Amino acid sequence: MDSLGTNFYLLTDTYIYTFNEDGAQIAGIQHGFQNPSVTSGEKRVLVFDRNGKGFKVYSRTAEVYSKTLDDTIVFAKMGNNERAAVVTTSARYLNYLCVFNDEGKQIFRYASPTEKIMQVCFSENENFVYISVVGEKNGELESSVLCFDIKKEQDALWREQIGNTLTYSLEYCSDGIYGVTEQGMFLLDPSSGKMTEHNSFAQSVTGICRTDGARVVFFRDTAFNGDTAVVYDNSLASVNTRRFDNVTSFDVSGGILYVLSKNKLFAYSGSLKDEHIYQLDDDYSSVKIIGRYAYFLGYNSVQRIDL
């Protein structure tokens, strides 16, 4: 379950369903994939067959286009407007990155000869694509972020080395390209690639929240066999922490961290200082904040509460 603008969608093993904010079904379409995975933006949902070669892009109401590629799909990333990035295997290269427009036409392709593509994100206007890669140099891992102009299929505009660690997430934000690795966080200037901020982690990452007014990362806290949420400021300095015994799901919206723990939803604002608890009618597996509502996914139902 995830957002689609002000609406939401559900992916099952056979169908993709879209609903309005009141729970009324807009569409229900059979996707036909054996191992479906999903990525979405504000306007489109992309469903692909994990370890297969096909993917389909949907609007709120219908299938927009479908494609069958020559190589196996590793992962995909849907932009917030119309463009989709699909990373595949290759017989000649380690990975291919293909970018498609809203009509399903391939408008950009990058062959990664010696490095694995780990993460992909688009600029706000989707004219630029940023990818994190990992390769090997002198027997050690070496990770970098590259920027490409989609309108010009050419060499990278810039390349910035980010260390010898795997990248868990990459996100285009108002203050730069924000990335989380297994060892720390970084901010890159979108125009030059220069690293403007970075920090290091002392614990293992277990979860990463999208950036929406707050940057929050979850860590495994072995001291009490739970999880610790840490909120960071614009310079990636730790501002505050919270410990949790049981984290089922989480989301960030408008600078507020929402943590689902079975049948309770905890809301933390003011850099995790202020707490509000919502008592739910049942145990739920995930939470998604869309507008002024919280949506909860149960075994065979979706529940919504006002925030």
Side-chain angles (χ1 to χ4, degrees), residues 185 201 203-209 214-221 224 226-232 237-247 249-252 256-260 266-268 271-273:
M185 310 160 69
F201 297 152
Q203 297 171 300
S204 299
V205 176
T206 58
I208 303 164
C209 294
R215 288 194 171 107
V216 182
V217 178
F218 283 83
F219 300 94
R220 187 63 182 168
D221 195 326
F224 77 107
D227 293 285
T228 296
V230 182
V231 62
Y232 297 88
S238 173
V239 176
N240 203 2
T241 63
R242 278 270 183 172
R243 286 184 170 183
F244 300 94
D245 293 328
N246 191 326
V247 177
S249 178
F250 53 82
D251 198 6
V252 165
I256 300 175
L257 171 65
Y258 296 89
V259 178
L260 174 65
F266 299 86
Y268 300 97
S271 298
L272 306 185
K273 296 177 182 178

Side-chain angles (χ1 to χ4, degrees), residues 160-274:
E160 178 74 2
Q161 187 177 343
I162 57 172
N164 58 348
T165 180
L166 300 180
T167 308
Y168 289 156
S169 70
L170 198 68
E171 183 181 358
Y172 181 90
C173 302
S174 60
D175 55 348
I177 308 302
Y178 165 61
V180 178
T181 75
E182 59 184 345
Q183 296 179 354
M185 310 160 69
F186 62 84
L187 272 175
L188 304 180
D189 181 90
S191 300
S192 66
K194 179 182 177 182
M195 187 175 293
T196 58
E197 304 289 350
H198 67 91
N199 69 7
S200 299
F201 297 152
Q203 297 171 300
S204 299
V205 176
T206 58
I208 303 164
C209 294
R210 61 177 179 148
T211 299
D212 186 1
R215 288 194 171 107
V216 182
V217 178
F218 283 83
F219 300 94
R220 187 63 182 168
D221 195 326
T222 56
F224 77 107
N225 196 30
D227 293 285
T228 296
V230 182
V231 62
Y232 297 88
D233 62 17
N234 292 337
S235 63
L236 305 188
S238 173
V239 176
N240 203 2
T241 63
R242 278 270 183 172
R243 286 184 170 183
F244 300 94
D245 293 328
N246 191 326
V247 177
T248 307
S249 178
F250 53 82
D251 198 6
V252 165
S253 179
I256 300 175
L257 171 65
Y258 296 89
V259 178
L260 174 65
S261 181
K262 295 185 178 180
N263 64 345
K264 291 183 179 179
L265 179 69
F266 299 86
Y268 300 97
S269 58
S271 298
L272 306 185
K273 296 177 182 178
D274 302 319

Side-chain angles (χ1 to χ4, degrees), residues 3-296:
S3 61
L4 185 57
T6 58
N7 305 291
F8 70 96
Y9 68 87
L10 287 173
L11 178 70
T12 74
D13 57 350
T14 51
Y15 280 82
I16 177 80
Y17 297 97
T18 57
F19 301 87
N20 67 16
E21 63 179 13
D22 294 321
Q25 183 176 316
I26 300 171
I29 308 169
Q30 193 167 6
H31 52 68
F33 294 134
Q34 288 188 331
N35 300 295
S37 293
V38 67
T39 171
S40 63
E42 290 293 314
K43 300 179 180 179
R44 298 286 185 265
V45 178
L46 186 156
V47 180
F48 65 95
D49 201 2
R50 186 175 293 277
N51 298 321
K53 298 181 179 180
F55 73 93
K56 298 178 181 180
V57 173
Y58 302 90
S59 67
R60 293 185 311 131
T61 58
E63 179 183 310
V64 180
Y65 67 87
S66 65
K67 303 287 288 187
T68 301
L69 306 179
D70 295 331
D71 299 296
T72 302
I73 298 173
V74 181
F75 72 92
K77 181 66 178 289
M78 192 74 224
N80 278 330
N81 295 315
E82 63 175 27
R83 292 179 175 171
V86 181
V87 176
T88 71
T89 60
S90 169
R92 297 176 54 195
Y93 302 95
L94 284 184
N95 284 131
Y96 264 124
L97 166 67
C98 301
V99 176
F100 299 88
N101 65 12
D102 201 29
E103 298 175 347
K105 179 182 177 182
Q106 181 181 297
I107 57 175
F108 178 83
R109 183 165 178 160
Y110 168 68
S112 183
T114 60
E115 298 169 311
K116 286 282 189 182
I117 298 175
M118 302 298 297
Q119 301 290 335
V120 177
C121 70
F122 289 102
S123 63
E124 187 173 16
N125 59 13
E126 297 187 355
N127 288 331
F128 299 92
V129 63
Y130 306 89
I131 67 172
S132 64
V133 297
V134 62
E136 178 271 337
K137 185 176 182 180
N138 299 325
E140 299 287 339
L141 290 179
E142 183 178 80
S143 294
S144 302
V145 176
L146 292 79
C147 171
F148 292 92
D149 187 338
I150 293 175
K151 303 185 299 298
K152 303 173 183 177
E153 195 156 341
Q154 58 185 19
D155 293 338
L157 297 178
W158 53 256
R159 178 189 184 101
E160 178 74 2
Q161 187 177 343
I162 57 172
N164 58 348
T165 180
L166 300 180
T167 308
Y168 289 156
S169 70
L170 198 68
E171 183 181 358
Y172 181 90
C173 302
S174 60
D175 55 348
I177 308 302
Y178 165 61
V180 178
T181 75
E182 59 184 345
Q183 296 179 354
M185 310 160 69
F186 62 84
L187 272 175
L188 304 180
D189 181 90
S191 300
S192 66
K194 179 182 177 182
M195 187 175 293
T196 58
E197 304 289 350
H198 67 91
N199 69 7
S200 299
F201 297 152
Q203 297 171 300
S204 299
V205 176
T206 58
I208 303 164
C209 294
R210 61 177 179 148
T211 299
D212 186 1
R215 288 194 171 107
V216 182
V217 178
F218 283 83
F219 300 94
R220 187 63 182 168
D221 195 326
T222 56
F224 77 107
N225 196 30
D227 293 285
T228 296
V230 182
V231 62
Y232 297 88
D233 62 17
N234 292 337
S235 63
L236 305 188
S238 173
V239 176
N240 203 2
T241 63
R242 278 270 183 172
R243 286 184 170 183
F244 300 94
D245 293 328
N246 191 326
V247 177
T248 307
S249 178
F250 53 82
D251 198 6
V252 165
S253 179
I256 300 175
L257 171 65
Y258 296 89
V259 178
L260 174 65
S261 181
K262 295 185 178 180
N263 64 345
K264 291 183 179 179
L265 179 69
F266 299 86
Y268 300 97
S269 58
S271 298
L272 306 185
K273 296 177 182 178
D274 302 319
E275 178 185 77
H276 184 81
I277 302 175
Y278 299 88
Q279 182 67 49
L280 309 177
D281 62 350
D282 201 352
D283 290 356
Y284 293 96
S285 62
S286 67
V287 61
K288 186 67 184 178
I289 310 302
I290 308 174
R292 67 181 193 277
Y293 303 115
Y295 296 83
F296 304 92

